[in-house]
């Protein structure tokens, strides 16, 4: 009798191992179904270890629903289920974009079956919550983490930080968790720095990176990608160069992601030539690498070079994707290459069978509008196979304003307000159109509507990096400790460029005030304050780089050309749309922006 039990036990273990081996080798759903039939026939479907492996195999074959339908069926022997099985299902759902909600459902079933989660359950669940962007859900899961005593586990803490960083309104919760963690691991620092970068809080990301250095924690490649993204956002070239040297000094691997981040940083920090050098020295270029340089050249107004690089990419066998074509069409738009842009748009469809998205149509409308082909732009919008989005309408408005079609600008602006009654920029566009038309009563009426609805205009601000510090100015700013000297310098600049022939573009002042007051208002624009600050605090003839959050106005653009000549400075301005390289009284955009 004892001998028979031993033999039966041996046979069960052998059958179990055979099934595990079959599942390990399984590569198709049809084979999986055959193994499933064998499990049911042999009774191994009630073996927790086999069932867990079965679920994992379903996940590997992108069919976790097949396993879940078996596990959660009415006939399921739930008393045989364990934590490992549910972890496998939760993990599979969390790693699949379209089924993250099912991870939460599986977790609820787990609790209903009185199966206790362990420390491996929550990282998967927190990742699913991050993908769902649900702050309240994330808080509930975090509460369960604390309840079950896993809040001191480093891996759980890291995923909790990541989850909060992904949720709207969750960054402060993320920082609270981060501040209570041990800081030996670069992973937690990367999660927090990356969270700040994704929210556009790049200054805080850089400050945290500096603290990371002070605490002696060695960053990894992921950290460096986030820090480089922060530098790109801030336009902090000197810090970006230091990060590049640090990567090489510390022997941090220049992965494709790191190289692509370097390309993006240099392009967005005005050193497009260094971005090209990094690109040329890459051993393995991806489509992201090519696209980053093409977009960078487009932003700098070097459309012909962008076209040449796009053609080179095709010659070496790298097939362009939809993003690459957006970069190419943007280059044509900023360089005024209308007919070339049309040819590339057509080739995207006919040669590469890429279905144009709303972004591609937006590039085309922007290209026609910038070049003054307004009738062509309107016809293109009318022939689109989809409804134009607000970005496309705004491109038309800017084009109409630039080329004197103010009544059409008014009509489109009113339509935008009807479609997006709480979007502040729509009201600003309409009020600016009325100011251009000298219809100040209607402009005032629009502003009062904004006030009544609680809609505020985004204030213009300019950032400048000097001596490894980032300084920010807003129009009429008096918060800087040097503000008195800065304003004296602004007045001196004004007198010097007027003497050289500059005439203020007072039509840019959208207020019903006299000409002298209009000039005074223009002199207090944030970019002029930043340039004055740079003239006061940097050596003669050195380059000045500034970053503007809005489109540079006509007056500041004209004034900066004169400043570059009078003070013998090369000035690089990055605004919301592109780069302007001012040198000896000329701009790289050739007044086309």
């Amino acid at each position: 009798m004892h001998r028979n039990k031993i033999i039966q036990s041996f046979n069960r273990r052998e059958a179990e191992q055979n099934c595990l081996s079959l599942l390990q080798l399984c590569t198709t759903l049809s084979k999986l179904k055959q193994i499933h039939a064998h499990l049911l026939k042999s009774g191994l479907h009630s073996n927790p270890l086999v069932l867990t492996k079965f679920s994992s195999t379903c996940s590997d074959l992108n069919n976790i629903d097949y396993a879940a339908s078996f596990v959660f069926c009415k006939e399921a022997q739930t008393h045989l289920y364990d934590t490992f099985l549910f972890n496998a299902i939760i993990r599979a759902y969390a790693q699949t974009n379209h089924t993250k909600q099912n991870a939460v459902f599986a977790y609820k079933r787990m609790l209903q079956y009185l199966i206790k989660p362990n420390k491996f359950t929550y990282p998967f669940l927190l990742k699913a919550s991050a993908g769902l962007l649900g702050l309240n859900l994330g808080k509930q899961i975090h509460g369960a983490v604390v309840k079950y005593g896993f809040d001191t586990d480093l891996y759980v803490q890291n995923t909790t930080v990541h989850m909060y960083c992904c949720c709207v309104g969750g960054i402060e919760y993320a920082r609270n968790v981060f501040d209570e963690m041990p800081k030996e691991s670069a992973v937690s620092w990367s999660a927090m720095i990356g969270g700040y970068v994704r929210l556009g809080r790049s200054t805080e990301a850089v400050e945290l990176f500096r603290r990371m250095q002070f605490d002696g924690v060695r960053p990894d490649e992921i950290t460096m990608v986030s820090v480089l993204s922060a530098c790109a956002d801030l336009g902090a070239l000197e810090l970006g160069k230091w990060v590049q040297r640090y990567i090489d000094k510390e022997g941090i691997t220049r992965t494709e992601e790191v190289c692509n981040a370097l390309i993006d940083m240099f392009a967005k920090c005005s050193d497009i030539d260094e971005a090209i050098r990094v690109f040329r020295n890459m051993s393995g270029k991806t489509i992201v690498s090519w696209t980053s340089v093409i977009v960078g050249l487009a932003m700098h107004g070097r459309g012909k070079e962008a076209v040449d690089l796009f053609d080179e990419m095709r010659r070496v066998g790298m097939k362009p994707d939809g993003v690459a074509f957006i970069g190419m069409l943007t280059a044509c738009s900023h360089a005024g290459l209308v007919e070339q842009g049309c040819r590339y748009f057509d080739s995207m469809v006919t040669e590469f069978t890429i279905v144009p998205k709303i972004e591609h149509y937006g590039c085309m409308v922007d290209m026609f509008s910038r070049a003054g082909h307004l009738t062509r732009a309107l016809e293109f919008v009318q022939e689109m196979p989809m409804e134009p989005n607000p970005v496309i309408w705004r491109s038309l408005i800017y084009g109409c304003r630039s080329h004197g079609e103010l009544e059409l600008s008014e009509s489109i602006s009113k339509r935008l307000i009807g479609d997006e009654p709480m979007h502040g920029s729509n009201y600003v566009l309409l009020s600016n159109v009325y100011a251009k038309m000298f219809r100040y009563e209607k402009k005032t009426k629009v502003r009062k509507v904004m006030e009544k609805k609680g809609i505020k205009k985004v204030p213009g601000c300019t950032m400048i990096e000097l001596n490894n510090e980032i300084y920010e100015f807003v129009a009429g700013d008096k918060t800087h400790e040097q503000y008195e000297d800065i304003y004296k310098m602004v007045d001196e600049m004004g007198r010097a460029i007027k003497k050289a022939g500059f005439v203020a573009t007072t039509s840019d002042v959208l207020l019903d005030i006299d000409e002298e007051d209009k000039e005074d208002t223009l002199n207090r624009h944030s970019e002029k304050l930043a340039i004055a600050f740079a003239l006061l605090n940097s050596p003669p003839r050195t380059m000045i780089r500034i970053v503007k959050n809005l489109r540079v106005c006509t007056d500041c653009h004209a004034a900066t050309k004169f400043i570059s000549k009078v003070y013998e400075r090369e000035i690089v301005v990055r605004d919301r749309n592109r780069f302007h390289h001012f040198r000896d009284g000329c701009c790289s955009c050739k007044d086309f922006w």
Side-chain angles (χ1 to χ4, degrees):
M1 188 76 173
H2 183 65
R3 173 185 170 85
N4 289 338
K5 287 185 177 180
I6 293 174
I7 292 172
Q8 289 174 1
S9 177
F10 177 80
N11 289 339
R12 280 197 302 271
R13 283 199 300 272
E14 185 178 21
E16 177 186 290
Q17 290 301 317
N18 287 337
C19 280
L20 291 174
S21 298
L22 286 171
L23 288 167
Q24 184 70 34
L25 298 171
C26 183
T27 56
T28 65
L29 184 59
S30 61
K31 290 181 180 178
L32 182 68
K33 289 181 177 179
Q34 292 177 33
I35 296 171
H36 187 193
H38 175 66
L39 294 181
L40 293 170
K41 185 177 179 180
S42 63
L44 285 168
H45 65 286
S46 60
N47 182 301
L49 182 59
V50 173
L51 194 55
T52 300
K53 181 60 180 175
F54 176 79
S55 299
S56 296
T57 305
C58 288
S59 173
D60 294 339
L61 296 175
N62 296 318
N63 207 322
I64 188 60
D65 287 335
Y66 185 77
S69 64
F70 175 52
V71 171
F72 298 141
C73 69
K74 292 181 180 178
E75 296 78 16
Q77 300 182 52
T78 57
H79 64 282
L80 297 172
Y81 293 167
D82 62 9
T83 304
F84 299 102
L85 171 63
F86 274 90
N87 281 355
I89 294 174
I90 292 170
R91 178 182 184 182
Y93 278 133
Q95 293 175 336
T96 307
N97 289 334
H98 303 296
T99 58
K100 294 185 187 298
Q101 186 66 52
N102 289 343
V104 180
F105 169 77
Y107 173 70
K108 289 179 179 178
R109 280 293 187 95
M110 183 182 191
L111 298 181
Q112 287 171 4
Y113 295 157
L114 302 179
I115 298 171
K116 190 174 181 180
N118 62 15
K119 68 178 183 179
F120 300 106
T121 307
Y122 289 103
F124 308 140
L125 201 55
L126 287 162
K127 286 179 181 178
S129 179
L132 294 168
L133 307 179
L135 180 59
N136 289 333
L137 173 63
K139 286 181 179 179
Q140 292 175 37
I141 297 170
H142 187 196
V145 166
V146 175
K147 174 183 175 181
Y148 286 105
F150 301 126
D151 54 317
T152 57
D153 181 84
L154 185 60
Y155 190 37
V156 174
Q157 289 173 327
N158 287 335
T159 49
T160 303
V161 171
H162 171 73
M163 178 275 296
Y164 277 129
C165 286
C166 291
C167 298
V168 177
I171 192 69
E172 304 307 331
Y173 294 100
R175 187 59 188 261
N176 289 339
V177 175
F178 173 80
D179 286 341
E180 294 176 1
M181 293 173 61
K183 303 298 190 298
E184 293 83 7
S185 170
V187 176
S188 52
W189 292 88
S190 294
M192 196 66 234
I193 291 170
Y196 279 132
V197 172
R198 282 191 295 274
L199 287 174
R201 293 167 63 168
S202 296
T203 301
E204 289 161 281
V206 170
E207 289 173 356
L208 194 60
F209 175 67
R210 285 173 173 157
R211 182 180 146 194
M212 182 181 184
Q213 300 302 292
F214 181 79
D215 287 1
V217 181
R218 187 179 187 273
D220 56 16
E221 294 88 350
I222 298 172
T223 313
M224 303 319 296
V225 169
S226 294
V227 174
L228 288 167
S229 296
C231 295
D233 182 48
L234 296 169
L237 179 62
E238 293 308 314
L239 178 60
K241 286 180 176 179
W242 181 88
V243 172
Q244 183 188 41
R245 291 192 297 270
Y246 181 86
I247 289 169
D248 295 335
K249 177 186 173 184
E250 294 296 318
I252 297 171
T253 305
R254 280 206 182 195
T255 61
E256 291 173 354
E257 290 77 12
V258 170
C259 289
N260 291 338
L262 281 167
I263 292 169
D264 184 64
M265 181 275 294
F266 279 118
K268 290 180 179 176
C269 292
S270 79
D271 197 344
I272 185 63
D273 293 318
E274 185 60 31
I276 294 171
R277 274 191 286 273
V278 173
F279 169 77
R280 292 299 181 192
N281 290 330
M282 285 181 70
S283 55
K285 300 177 180 67
T286 65
I287 186 65
V288 176
S289 315
W290 289 91
T291 303
S292 296
V293 181
I294 290 169
V295 171
L297 288 166
M299 287 193 302
H300 286 267
R302 291 161 65 166
K304 181 62 170 59
E305 292 173 71
V307 169
D308 291 342
L309 189 65
F310 184 84
D311 292 339
E312 179 187 341
M313 178 178 71
R314 295 171 62 184
R315 285 196 303 272
V316 301
M318 180 67 71
K319 184 178 178 181
D321 59 8
V323 180
F325 272 103
I326 290 174
M328 191 65 259
L329 294 172
T330 301
C332 293
S333 177
H334 285 302
L337 305 174
V338 176
E339 298 311 318
Q340 279 181 282
C342 291
R343 286 198 296 272
Y344 281 115
F345 184 82
D346 291 339
S347 72
M348 179 177 70
V349 179
T350 58
E351 185 178 348
F352 296 98
T353 63
I354 296 173
V355 178
K357 295 183 178 180
I358 190 74
E359 293 83 3
H360 299 103
Y361 287 104
C363 289
M364 294 296 290
V365 174
D366 184 63
M367 181 179 70
F368 290 135
S369 300
R370 285 175 185 271
H373 300 179
L374 300 177
T375 302
R376 202 169 174 184
L378 282 169
E379 290 174 352
F380 190 86
V381 170
Q382 291 166 358
E383 294 171 1
M384 285 171 51
M386 60 193 76
E387 282 295 314
N389 63 13
V391 175
I392 289 176
W393 289 123
R394 289 185 194 110
S395 294
L396 265 171
I397 292 170
Y398 286 124
C400 291
R401 276 177 50 191
S402 298
H403 297 281
E405 295 287 345
L406 297 179
E407 289 185 2
L408 185 56
S409 292
E410 178 189 7
S411 175
I412 300 173
S413 298
K414 286 180 177 178
R415 174 174 179 161
L416 269 178
I417 289 174
D419 292 340
E420 294 182 314
M422 295 305 294
H423 200 293
S425 66
N426 298 333
Y427 294 90
V428 173
L429 284 172
L430 182 58
S431 68
N432 289 353
V433 169
Y434 284 140
K436 287 279 187 181
M437 299 168 79
F438 303 105
R439 294 161 69 177
Y440 293 110
E441 288 183 7
K442 287 200 171 185
K443 172 189 175 296
T444 302
K445 186 177 179 180
V446 172
R447 295 288 180 163
K448 286 182 178 178
V449 170
M450 290 178 67
E451 290 177 13
K452 186 177 180 180
K453 292 188 175 184
I455 300 170
K456 294 183 179 180
K457 177 185 175 183
V458 176
C461 69
T462 300
M463 289 185 293
I464 181 171
E465 180 190 26
L466 207 62
N467 300 323
N468 294 319
E469 293 290 336
I470 305 293
Y471 299 91
E472 185 173 341
F473 295 89
V474 296
D477 200 337
K478 292 187 178 182
T479 60
H480 195 279
E481 60 184 15
Q482 282 186 276
Y483 84 88
E484 291 182 350
D485 292 332
I486 291 170
Y487 277 85
K488 288 178 183 177
M489 188 69 219
V490 167
D491 292 337
E492 180 188 311
M493 279 167 29
R495 290 190 294 271
I497 61 178
K498 269 189 177 181
K499 190 175 180 181
F502 170 73
V503 178
T505 313
T506 54
S507 60
D508 271 2
V509 179
L510 308 174
L511 300 171
D512 189 12
I513 53 179
D514 61 39
E515 290 299 303
E516 186 176 342
D517 287 338
K518 285 184 177 183
E519 285 193 32
D520 187 60
T521 299
L522 290 170
N523 284 338
R524 300 315 184 238
H525 279 192
S526 62
E527 47 265 67
K528 289 195 178 92
L529 298 179
I531 291 172
F533 173 72
L535 291 173
L536 286 170
N537 293 281
S538 61
R541 294 187 173 84
T542 56
M543 182 184 290
I544 296 172
R545 293 182 173 90
I546 63 175
V547 178
K548 178 77 183 288
N549 69 326
L550 303 176
R551 183 179 183 270
V552 64
C553 75
T554 306
D555 181 78
C556 286
H557 189 272
T560 307
K561 286 196 291 186
F562 276 89
I563 294 169
S564 71
K565 184 173 184 178
V566 170
Y567 289 91
E568 298 181 351
R569 296 284 194 118
E570 182 176 352
I571 303 172
V572 181
V573 179
R574 183 181 111 191
D575 72 4
R576 187 172 59 185
N577 295 324
R578 65 177 298 157
F579 278 89
H580 302 265
H581 293 255
F582 298 92
R583 186 186 296 113
D584 195 29
C586 298
C587 180
S588 60
C589 76
K590 299 179 177 61
D591 296 337
F592 182 82
W593 85 99

